[in-house]
Amino acid sequence: MKLPGLLIYCVFPALAFAQPNPSSSTQRISGFEKRKSLQEQSIIKNLKFENIGPTVFSGRVTDIDADPSDPSHFYVAYASGGLWYTDNNGTSFNPLFDSEMVMTIGDIAVDWNHDIIWIGTGENNSSRSSYSGLGIFRSADGGKTWENRGLPESHHIGRILLHPDDSNTLCVAVLGSLYSPNAERGIYKTTDGGITWRKTLFVNDNAGAIEIVRSPDNPNTLFAATWERTRRAWNFTESGAGSGIYRSDDGGEIWQLLTDGSTGFPQGEGVGRIGLDVANTPEGFVLYAILDNYFRRPPKQEEEDVLTKVLLRTMSVTSFLDLEEDKVQAFLEDNGFPDKYTVDTIFQLMKNEKITPMTLVEYLDDANALLFDTDVVGAEVYASEDGGRTWKKTHTGFIDQLYNTYGYYFGQIRVSPFDSRKLYILGVPILLSADGGATWKSIDADNVHGDHHALWLSSTRDEHLILGNDGGINVSYDDGAHYFKCNSPAVGQFYSVHTDRAKPYHVYGGLQDNGVWGGSHVYEAGPGWQSSGDYPYDFLYGGDGMQVQVDFRDNNTVYTGLQFGNYARIDKKTRRNNFITPRHELSDRPYRWNWQAPILLSRHHQDILYMGSNVLHRSLNQGDDFEVISPDLTKGGKPGDVPYGTLTTIHESPLEFGLLYTGSDDGLIYVSKTFGRDWQRISDALPQDLWVSRVRASAHEKSRIYISLNGYRWDDFTAYVYISEDYGVTWSRIGTDLPFEPVNVIIEDPVNEDVLYVGTDHGLYISLDRGQSFMSAGSSLPAVAVHDLDIQPQEKHLLVGTHGRSFYKADISQIQLLNAEILGSTIYAFSIPDSGMRYSERWGKRSTDWSEYRIPDVSIPFYAKMAGSVRMEVFLGDHRIYQEDINAERGLNFVSYDLSVSKTHVQPYTRAYADVDEKVKIKAADNGTYYLGKGEYKIVLTSGSTTTSQKFELK
C-alpha cells in the first residue's frame, strides 16, 4: 500500500495476541437469570415494540418435524429465530421458544404420540453467525412450557435420536463449542428423560458428533458420525482425522469405528462433515453417507490456451512477454482487474521490470482466494450394504457446485421411505437421485432459496416433502417439480438497520444470504400484497446483505453491498448501481475486507463516504474515487482462509467534521482528530484481541466515545462496554450489570445524553444513567440477537435490526424525556401522541353486517414511581365525562383508551358539549357507545394525593 506523502502517523510496537478465556455454562446460565431480573425490575418493560417485517424472505432453517399421521401439523426450527409451529400446512405459524435461555436451534425431535418436543440448542452449521446453545430442552405440553434437561456445555447439537418405544431414552450428537476446544463433545445417552446423561463416545477436544441414525430393523443398532473442525476468527479448518463413522449394537453404549481407512470410506485429515441416513430393503438395510471431502483434487492438466494463476507462479518474465495478447486479456477479465490495467500496460510494466508474473498472482491472493479457489474434492456420496463394514462411492467423478469449499454449511442426506435408491442431498442446490446416487438432478425452483439445510419426507405419500433453507420453508407434493412458500414468520437474519429522512421514512438493512431490502416504516404484515403485487419492501442488492447508508439530501441515493467489502452506489428511482469498492494498486497486497465491512456517509457533507478494509478509505465524490487516509489500523492479519486484521466499525463525530474513529476485529481502536492526517491508538488499556463491535462518538460531548467489544469468536460471552470522556486517553467500564451476553452494538440517544441502547446476542437493554445501570427494553421483544440499532430522529423511533426476527420499531419519545425530575415524580403524564386523534363519524359503526365495529384506540402514556392504583379522568371543560381506575405498574405505563364516554357521564357530556356546539346532537353509536366529539379535552391522572394532566384535541 502506498500512503500519501504528507500524512503523519503515530507508530506503535506490535501487540502480541493473547487468547481470551472461553466462558463456562455456569456463567452463561447466570446471565440468563440476570436477564430475567432485568426484565422483572425494568421500569420500561411496557415499551411496545412492533415487528415491521419483512417476511417475504425468511431466515436459515435448521430442522423440520411433521406429524406423520397429519403432516399439515409441523414444527420448524430456525438457526437464530426460535421454534415455530403450524397446524394448517404452513399457512400461519406461532412461535414457541421466545423466552428461554437461547433461541438458536441445532435439531428438534418430536414424540407425536405424547406431545413431547426435544430441542437441541446451538446451530449445527458452524457459520459466522451460528450462535451457541445451552443444552437440551424438553416440553411435555406441545411447547407451552419448557425445561432445561442438561448438557449445558454442548454449545452446538447436531442430532437428537429418540428411542421408538421409550420416550425417556434418547441419544444426542453433541458437536461442542465453535471457537475453542472442549471435552464436552461426542455422543450422550439418557434413559431417564435427561435427568442424567452418560458420554458414550468421545474422540478428541475438537471432534464432536454431528449425526446419529438408527437401523430400521433393530432399534439398538445405531450409526453416528463425528466431525473434527477448528474455527478461529482468521481461519476455518473444516476437516480432521477425528472425523468418522461409528456403529453401536447395544443402543449407543459402546461404539466401533467403521472408517479406519480399510473399508473404502476416506479417512484422515481431509475428512469433513458427514451426514447419514438408512434405507430398508428386502435384503436388509443400506447405510448412506454424504461427505464433505476436503482432500485436494488431483492437479488439473492446464489447458495450453488458458492463462491461470498456477502457470503464472512459475513463469518467467521472458515467457510472459511471449504470450499472446488475447490470453492475457482473458486472464485480466476473468479475474476482475480494473480497466486501467490493460494488456499494453501489463506488458510495459513487465518490460520495465516493474512487475513479474508473480505480481499478478499476489494482486489476487487474499484470504478469500484461499477460501474460494482451493480445489477440494467436495461432496461425495457413499453406500454400505453390510452395516458399514465396507463402503462404495455411488457415483463416478465429482458432484460439482453443491458444496464447493463450504460443505461445513450443509451435510444432510435423505432416503425416500418408498424407494431405497431414491436419494436427496442438500447443499447449493438440492439434488435428487433415482438410481442410488449414480446420477443426480437439481430439484430447485425459482421460488426456492439455494442453500438447503433441512428436509422432511412423508412416509405415507411419495413425493411429499417439506424443505428448509436460508429462505425459509417450501412444500412440494411432486418431488420438487413445484413448490409453494411458507414465509409468514418474520425471521429475517439482519446484520444492519438504517433509516432515511423521507416522510414516511424508510427502513433499510442487509441480511444473511437474502440481500439488502428497504421499505416504509408503516409496514403492516398481511397477505394483501399478493393481490396488488406490491410488496412493501423493495429488493436493493444481492448476496449476503451488509451495511446501508442513505444520502439524506434526496433519500434516493443508497450505498450498500454484499460480503467482503463489495459495495455499490444505488439510485433507487432509476435502479442504476455503480460498483464503488476501492482496489489496491498492482504490486501492493490486496486490502483485507471484513465479512461485514463498515461504511459511513459523513453527516457533515454527504458527498464524503468512508469505507474500512484494513485501512480507512475516503471518497470526496460519492464513491467515484477513493484515497487511503490511514496506515494499517489493525495488527496486520494472520495466516488463514478468513480475512482477519480488518476494520469492523467506523464513526465520525456528529459534532466535528474529521474527528474519526475506527475499530478492528483484532481489538484495536484508533482516533484521528485531523481528518485522517495522523492517528493514535487508544485501545491499549482495554481488554485485548476482542472484536470491536462498535465505536460511537457522542452527539452531546465532543470528547466522549462509547465502544463495545465482543468475545464471541473466542467463546467469551462477557458483556464489554466502555466510555471515554477524553477521546480515548482513559476508559471506564459501564454496563457492569448487563447479563453475560456478547454485545453487538451500543448507540447513544440523540436527545437525552444519559440514555444508551445496547444490543446483545439475547436482546436489547436501555440505560437511563449513561451506562451505570441497564434494564431490559421491553417484554414485547423475544430473546433474539440484536445486531444493529438506529434512531429515526423526526419520528423519535428506535429501529432494532435482529438476527433472527427481522425489524422491530418502538416509539421512544417518552424514554427521551426520562430525566431526574420525571423519575422522581410520583406520577407524570406525557403528551398524548397525535396519531389516532382525528374524530371520525365511523366510530362504533360497521362497514358491513359481517365486519367488526370500528373502535378508536389511543395510547395514554404516563410514568408512575410506584406500582398501584391510578385514577384516570377525562374532562370537557369542567365536566368529567370519563373515569377509570387503572392498576399501574412501576415505571412507564401505556393505557389504551377508546375515546368513549362513561355510561354514567353521558348527561354531563351532553351538557358540556352544548357549550362547545349546541347544534350537535349527542347520540350513541351503532354499538351503543358514546364517543368523544371534536374538541379539546383534558386527561387527569391521580395517584394518592398527586395529580398530573395533559390536554389533547380531536380535530
Side-chain angles (χ1 to χ4, degrees):
M1 180 189 70
K2 293 181 175 66
L3 296 174
L6 295 178
L7 301 190
I8 302 172
Y9 299 106
C10 294
V11 180
F12 296 91
L15 294 179
F17 284 89
Q19 180 172 329
N21 293 320
S23 303
S24 69
S25 61
T26 301
Q27 291 172 307
R28 297 175 63 205
I29 291 171
S30 72
F32 173 60
E33 297 301 324
K34 181 66 174 178
R35 189 197 322 162
K36 290 194 295 183
S37 173
L38 293 181
Q39 290 170 344
E40 293 166 359
Q41 298 172 12
S42 176
I43 65 171
I44 57 173
K45 60 185 174 184
N46 292 322
L47 185 64
K48 181 182 178 182
F49 285 86
E50 175 188 359
N51 191 287
I52 57 169
T55 62
V56 67
F57 50 81
S58 184
R60 189 162 59 249
V61 173
T62 52
D63 198 21
I64 303 161
D65 205 319
D67 186 343
S69 64
D70 182 2
S72 68
H73 295 228
F74 60 88
Y75 296 94
V76 180
Y78 289 89
S80 57
L83 180 70
W84 294 72
Y85 175 67
T86 178
D87 58 8
N88 54 22
N89 206 31
T91 306
S92 63
F93 290 83
N94 291 313
L96 301 176
F97 201 63
D98 279 12
S99 303
E100 303 306 317
M101 294 182 187
V102 292
M103 284 180 63
T104 174
I105 300 177
D107 191 53
I108 58 173
V110 181
D111 180 349
W112 290 95
N113 294 323
H114 301 94
D115 211 19
I116 296 174
I117 310 169
W118 292 90
I119 290 182
T121 61
E123 183 190 359
N124 56 29
N125 289 318
S126 300
S127 189
R128 294 170 183 83
S129 57
S130 293
Y131 291 99
S132 177
L134 266 168
I136 194 162
F137 290 74
R138 177 181 182 269
S139 173
D141 53 14
K144 295 182 180 68
T145 59
W146 296 92
E147 292 180 282
N148 185 286
R149 286 298 178 99
L151 305 181
E153 295 286 0
S154 56
H155 281 252
H156 299 271
I157 288 178
R159 191 73 71 205
I160 303 170
L161 185 66
L162 305 181
H163 194 282
D165 304 317
D166 181 1
S167 59
N168 284 318
T169 296
L170 56 151
C171 291
V172 177
V174 172
L175 188 54
S177 57
L178 179 55
Y179 284 100
S180 59
N182 72 320
E184 293 81 5
R185 306 173 187 260
I187 298 294
Y188 286 78
K189 182 176 181 180
T190 180
T191 55
D192 55 14
I195 304 301
T196 59
W197 294 89
R198 299 188 311 281
K199 182 163 63 175
T200 62
L201 174 62
F202 174 74
V203 179
N204 64 53
D205 284 358
N206 288 310
I210 186 62
E211 183 70 277
I212 183 168
V213 296
R214 174 177 280 111
S215 165
D217 59 4
N218 185 342
N220 287 319
T221 300
L222 310 180
F223 298 92
T226 58
W227 176 24
E228 181 166 348
R229 80 329 184 206
T230 305
R231 182 153 204 162
R232 298 294 181 264
W234 55 89
N235 189 56
F236 190 4
T237 303
E238 302 169 23
S239 60
S243 303
I245 302 173
Y246 292 77
R247 172 173 174 153
S248 172
D249 292 308
D250 56 6
E253 299 290 345
I254 300 174
W255 296 89
Q256 174 191 0
L257 178 65
L258 299 176
T259 53
D260 59 2
S262 64
T263 62
F265 194 91
Q267 188 267 340
E269 295 295 332
V271 178
R273 182 171 176 172
I274 301 169
L276 302 173
D277 205 2
V278 189
N280 212 357
T281 71
E283 297 78 25
F285 67 85
V286 180
L287 179 62
Y288 288 101
I290 184 168
L291 167 67
D292 178 24
N293 189 328
Y294 231 73
F295 285 105
R296 300 302 187 259
R297 295 188 183 191
K300 293 179 181 178
Q301 186 68 37
E302 298 293 343
E303 298 181 28
E304 293 184 2
D305 59 342
V306 176
L307 184 62
T308 66
K309 289 197 295 183
V310 173
L311 293 175
L312 287 171
R313 288 182 188 277
T314 57
M315 185 177 290
S316 68
V317 171
T318 301
S319 297
F320 185 92
L321 293 174
D322 290 335
L323 290 172
E324 297 175 4
E325 289 190 7
D326 59 345
K327 284 186 181 181
V328 179
Q329 181 65 38
F331 176 82
L332 296 176
E333 291 178 357
D334 291 344
N335 289 279
F337 278 74
D339 292 341
K340 65 181 180 179
Y341 294 122
T342 65
V343 174
D344 290 341
T345 301
I346 297 298
F347 275 120
Q348 192 62 44
L349 290 171
M350 204 77 69
K351 289 176 182 177
N352 294 337
E353 299 182 350
K354 299 291 186 182
I355 63 172
T356 67
M358 189 62 188
T359 306
L360 301 179
V361 177
E362 291 174 342
Y363 183 82
L364 301 170
D365 266 355
D366 57 12
N368 289 335
L370 292 174
L371 175 63
F372 293 110
D373 294 348
T374 303
D375 214 5
V376 299
V377 172
E380 291 185 316
V381 176
Y382 290 82
S384 174
E385 297 181 356
D386 56 8
R389 295 176 182 86
T390 60
W391 295 84
K392 291 183 179 179
K393 193 166 70 168
T394 66
H395 51 94
T396 58
F398 302 109
I399 305 177
D400 283 327
Q401 298 178 6
L402 181 75
Y403 274 10
N404 300 304
T405 59
Y406 36 92
Y408 67 88
Y409 198 50
F410 304 111
Q412 307 291 333
I413 184 170
R414 297 289 182 271
V415 188
S416 167
F418 298 92
D419 182 353
S420 63
R421 292 178 57 77
K422 185 177 176 183
L423 310 178
Y424 306 79
I425 54 176
L426 279 63
V428 182
I430 177 173
L431 300 182
L432 169 65
S433 173
D435 53 15
T439 61
W440 301 89
K441 70 172 183 177
S442 170
I443 57 170
D444 260 7
D446 289 342
N447 66 335
V448 176
H449 195 287
D451 297 47
H452 300 285
H453 308 285
L455 180 65
W456 177 89
L457 300 175
S458 173
S459 59
T460 59
R461 176 173 176 167
D462 192 17
E463 301 187 351
H464 176 199
L465 55 90
I466 306 175
L467 177 63
N469 47 57
D470 276 8
I473 290 290
N474 295 91
V475 179
S476 175
Y477 288 93
D478 53 15
D479 253 346
H482 306 87
Y483 294 90
F484 65 87
K485 188 178 285 289
C486 307
N487 274 9
S488 58
V491 287
Q493 296 177 294
F494 277 94
Y495 289 117
S496 63
V497 61
H498 187 66
T499 59
D500 63 18
R501 301 299 182 261
K503 290 183 180 283
Y505 71 84
H506 283 65
V507 185
Y508 305 82
L511 65 159
Q512 166 64 33
D513 218 16
N514 281 285
V516 179
W517 294 72
S520 172
H521 81 280
V522 297
Y523 164 93
E524 293 182 5
W529 67 272
Q530 296 177 10
S531 296
S532 67
D534 184 16
Y535 190 71
Y537 279 81
D538 293 320
F539 176 79
L540 297 176
Y541 213 71
D544 290 85
M546 294 298 150
Q547 297 187 10
V548 182
Q549 293 284 284
V550 178
D551 190 329
F552 298 154
R553 296 172 299 184
D554 60 13
N555 296 307
N556 177 65
T557 304
V558 177
Y559 300 84
T560 190
L562 50 83
Q563 61 267 43
F564 300 126
N566 292 288
Y567 279 87
R569 184 181 67 245
I570 300 173
D571 184 313
K572 289 201 302 178
K573 292 178 182 176
T574 65
R575 294 288 177 175
R576 286 189 58 190
N577 71 75
N578 295 294
F579 186 76
I580 60 171
T581 299
R583 298 290 298 271
H584 57 293
E585 297 293 334
L586 199 62
S587 77
D588 288 340
R589 300 297 296 181
Y591 297 125
R592 297 188 300 274
W593 297 98
N594 192 269
W595 173 260
Q596 298 182 54
I599 62 172
L600 180 69
L601 198 61
S602 175
R603 295 303 172 232
H604 301 282
H605 193 308
Q606 297 204 317
D607 283 341
I608 298 178
L609 176 69
Y610 301 98
M611 292 186 68
S613 57
N614 54 302
V615 297
L616 188 62
H617 308 261
R618 181 179 64 197
S619 171
L620 302 177
N621 55 7
Q622 298 184 307
D624 286 340
D625 303 286
F626 279 91
E627 60 179 330
V628 173
I629 62 168
S630 79
D632 191 329
L633 298 174
T634 76
K635 294 182 179 179
K638 296 189 75 170
D641 61 6
V642 180
Y644 190 69
T646 65
L647 296 185
T648 53
T649 178
I650 308 165
H651 204 228
E652 182 179 45
S653 169
L655 302 177
E656 183 173 334
F657 175 50
L659 176 54
L660 300 168
Y661 295 92
T662 67
S664 69
D665 57 6
D666 51 13
L668 299 189
I669 303 171
Y670 279 85
V671 60
S672 173
K673 301 176 185 177
T674 56
F675 309 94
R677 286 195 298 271
D678 59 87
W679 293 84
Q680 294 83 41
R681 192 173 68 216
I682 56 174
S683 52
D684 290 2
L686 294 167
Q688 296 297 299
D689 301 307
L690 299 169
W691 190 287
V692 184
S693 57
R694 203 59 50 105
V695 57
R696 196 80 174 190
S698 173
H700 300 282
E701 189 66 44
K702 191 168 64 173
S703 61
R704 184 178 300 156
I705 329 156
Y706 296 97
I707 60 115
S708 58
L709 308 175
N710 188 304
Y712 163 72
R713 291 159 188 83
W714 298 97
D715 286 321
D716 177 3
F717 297 85
T718 309
Y720 296 103
V721 186
Y722 293 84
I723 184 176
S724 173
E725 297 285 1
D726 53 13
Y727 301 97
V729 175
T730 59
W731 295 94
S732 299
R733 188 172 180 184
I734 57 176
T736 55
D737 62 341
L738 284 168
F740 220 77
E741 301 169 1
V743 177
N744 301 311
V745 57
I746 179 171
I747 66 171
E748 174 195 58
D749 191 272
V751 174
N752 187 334
E753 66 177 324
D754 292 329
V755 177
L756 302 176
Y757 307 88
V758 163
T760 74
D761 279 358
H762 299 293
L764 175 65
Y765 302 91
I766 298 179
S767 173
L768 304 178
D769 54 13
R770 214 177 300 171
Q772 297 308 302
S773 62
F774 278 86
M775 62 191 78
S776 176
S779 56
S780 56
L781 270 178
V784 67
V786 173
H787 262 235
D788 200 12
L789 299 167
D790 193 26
I791 292 174
Q792 212 289 335
Q794 284 75 32
E795 296 291 339
K796 302 183 187 303
H797 285 172
L798 174 67
L799 283 302
V800 184
T802 75
H803 200 77
R805 296 302 271 273
S806 298
F807 289 142
Y808 283 85
K809 174 184 72 177
D811 184 338
I812 55 170
S813 54
Q814 292 85 29
I815 298 287
Q816 293 179 330
L817 295 174
L818 286 176
N819 54 26
E821 181 181 352
I822 293 176
L823 292 171
S825 303
T826 300
I827 191 165
Y828 181 88
F830 296 98
S831 60
I832 299 169
D834 290 337
S835 58
M837 303 305 285
R838 286 201 171 272
Y839 169 78
S840 173
E841 293 182 349
R842 293 181 293 174
W843 291 344
K845 297 181 180 181
R846 297 190 292 187
S847 57
T848 70
D849 291 343
W850 301 278
S851 59
E852 299 291 331
Y853 288 104
R854 296 178 183 270
I855 308 295
D857 183 19
V858 172
S859 179
I860 310 298
F862 68 92
Y863 168 82
K865 189 174 183 178
M866 302 295 293
S869 179
V870 170
R871 174 159 295 179
M872 184 175 85
E873 300 167 293
V874 180
F875 287 85
L876 177 57
D878 295 329
H879 299 276
R880 182 171 57 195
I881 58 174
Y882 182 87
Q883 179 177 316
E884 178 185 0
D885 288 334
I886 302 162
N887 187 22
E889 296 187 60
R890 173 175 168 265
L892 284 183
N893 291 263
F894 299 90
V895 177
S896 180
Y897 175 40
D898 64 359
L899 298 178
S900 66
V901 178
S902 300
K903 291 182 178 180
T904 57
H905 293 82
V906 173
Q907 290 304 318
Y909 177 64
T910 302
R911 291 193 299 268
Y913 207 81
D915 297 336
V916 177
D917 190 344
E918 59 183 14
K919 296 179 182 179
V920 176
K921 185 177 180 181
I922 302 300
K923 62 179 181 178
D926 292 352
N927 64 353
T929 301
Y930 288 83
Y931 291 100
L932 306 187
K934 289 175 283 188
E936 190 175 275
Y937 299 86
K938 181 171 70 172
I939 285 185
V940 177
L941 301 172
T942 303
S943 175
S945 59
T946 304
T947 63
T948 182
S949 64
Q950 283 286 351
K951 291 181 179 181
F952 68 93
E953 183 180 5
L954 283 178
K955 298 179 181 180

